Amino acid sequence: MARMAALRAAKQALRRDIKQRVAALSEQEKQRQSKVVSQKLFDHPKYASCDRIAVFLSMHDEVRTEEILQDLFAQGKTCFIPKYQSTASNHMDMLRLHSMQDMETLPLTSWNIKQPSDDDFTREEALATGGLDLILMPGLGFDRAGNRLGRGKGFYDSYLERCMRHARGKPYTVALAFKEQLCPDIPVDDNDVLIDEVLYEDLE
């Protein structure tokens, strides 16, 4: 129990530190890095070969995904976006998004994220049909080994576990990050799922 408490404390301290680093970025710098990261994704062979792709709708402290959404639709790929349960659970579905216009009509949640409303039962859920090829992952922090620090709710970790039980298996996972979100070492526990790759502006 002491180890778990120490791990939780370490994660909380790191979350505070990363939030401060990202908050110090100007809007222009966030947009600039987002463009660099988006281009890295567009040049990636996995992106080219995947059809069914889940992408998060970005919050103010995340890599902007509008350009990625536009490209997904332009390429004729099948796009899914997160629908978080508003209750205390960590349940999340990935629901089909049909167009940029479709996104504009989505309601805002209390977290200021657009997502389909609770009474929208018309959308295809990725795991109920053909599964996913690729998930673009948000997060607060990442290390180069693929460890991810989320916001502490466990939505993506539990969703990836459901993906592993799907006939198609676990999709390829790519995190999109500002370079300020990179850490030497992310503290993780047994429930944290490793990311296949982290894309960020690499100046080396």
Side-chain angles (χ1 to χ4, degrees):
M1 288 305 289
R3 196 182 80 83
M4 287 305 294
L7 183 67
R8 266 201 305 277
K11 285 186 173 188
Q12 284 304 97
L14 195 52
R15 283 189 184 102
R16 280 194 300 274
D17 180 40
I18 296 166
K19 280 180 177 173
Q20 285 175 339
R21 291 207 301 255
V22 174
L25 295 175
S26 67
E27 189 54 40
Q28 291 86 340
E29 177 61 13
K30 287 177 187 168
Q31 292 286 3
R32 188 193 69 74
Q33 285 196 44
S34 296
K35 274 194 149 359
V36 172
V37 172
S38 297
Q39 194 55 54
K40 280 192 159 198
L41 178 70
F42 300 152
D43 294 341
H44 199 295
K46 273 285 183 196
Y47 179 76
S49 66
C50 289
D51 173 52
R52 294 168 66 85
I53 299 176
V55 57
F56 59 96
L57 302 185
S58 44
M59 296 203 290
H60 65 92
D61 57 355
E62 293 171 338
V63 166
R64 305 293 183 258
T65 55
E66 292 88 347
E67 200 178 339
I68 293 167
L69 286 164
Q70 288 166 349
D71 192 76
L72 281 172
F73 294 123
Q75 303 269 353
K77 294 179 186 292
T78 310
C79 177
F80 295 87
I81 58 168
K83 164 84 167 73
Y84 306 97
Q85 294 288 22
S86 46
T87 56
S89 78
N90 62 357
H91 185 84
M92 176 178 77
D93 289 318
M94 288 291 183
L95 301 182
R96 178 89 182 261
L97 186 70
H98 298 283
S99 64
M100 294 303 285
Q101 292 78 9
D102 185 16
M103 185 188 75
E104 295 304 322
T105 65
L106 295 176
L108 274 175
T109 67
S110 56
W111 296 330
N112 222 24
I113 304 174
K114 284 187 171 233
Q115 69 173 30
S117 62
D118 289 340
D119 57 2
D120 183 347
F121 301 113
T122 61
R123 295 176 189 271
E124 174 189 346
E125 202 289 311
L127 294 183
T129 51
L132 288 164
D133 301 318
L134 173 66
I135 300 183
L136 302 178
M137 306 274 292
L140 275 179
F142 309 92
D143 64 24
R144 287 172 176 79
N147 292 306
R148 168 181 172 271
L149 180 70
R151 294 174 189 273
K153 302 275 196 296
F155 285 114
Y156 275 87
D157 291 323
S158 62
Y159 191 78
L160 285 170
E161 280 171 19
R162 283 169 58 206
C163 289
M164 290 173 201
R165 295 196 293 271
H166 189 275
R168 181 171 273 204
K170 179 180 168 289
Y172 197 77
T173 49
V174 173
L176 309 177
F178 297 123
K179 58 180 186 283
E180 286 76 11
Q181 292 176 288
L182 263 284
C183 303
D185 194 29
I186 296 280
V188 290
D189 61 35
D190 298 341
N191 297 323
D192 294 314
V193 181
L194 204 64
I195 305 299
D196 291 308
E197 206 167 336
V198 183
L199 295 186
Y200 57 96
E201 185 181 31
D202 190 350
L203 301 176
E204 288 156 20

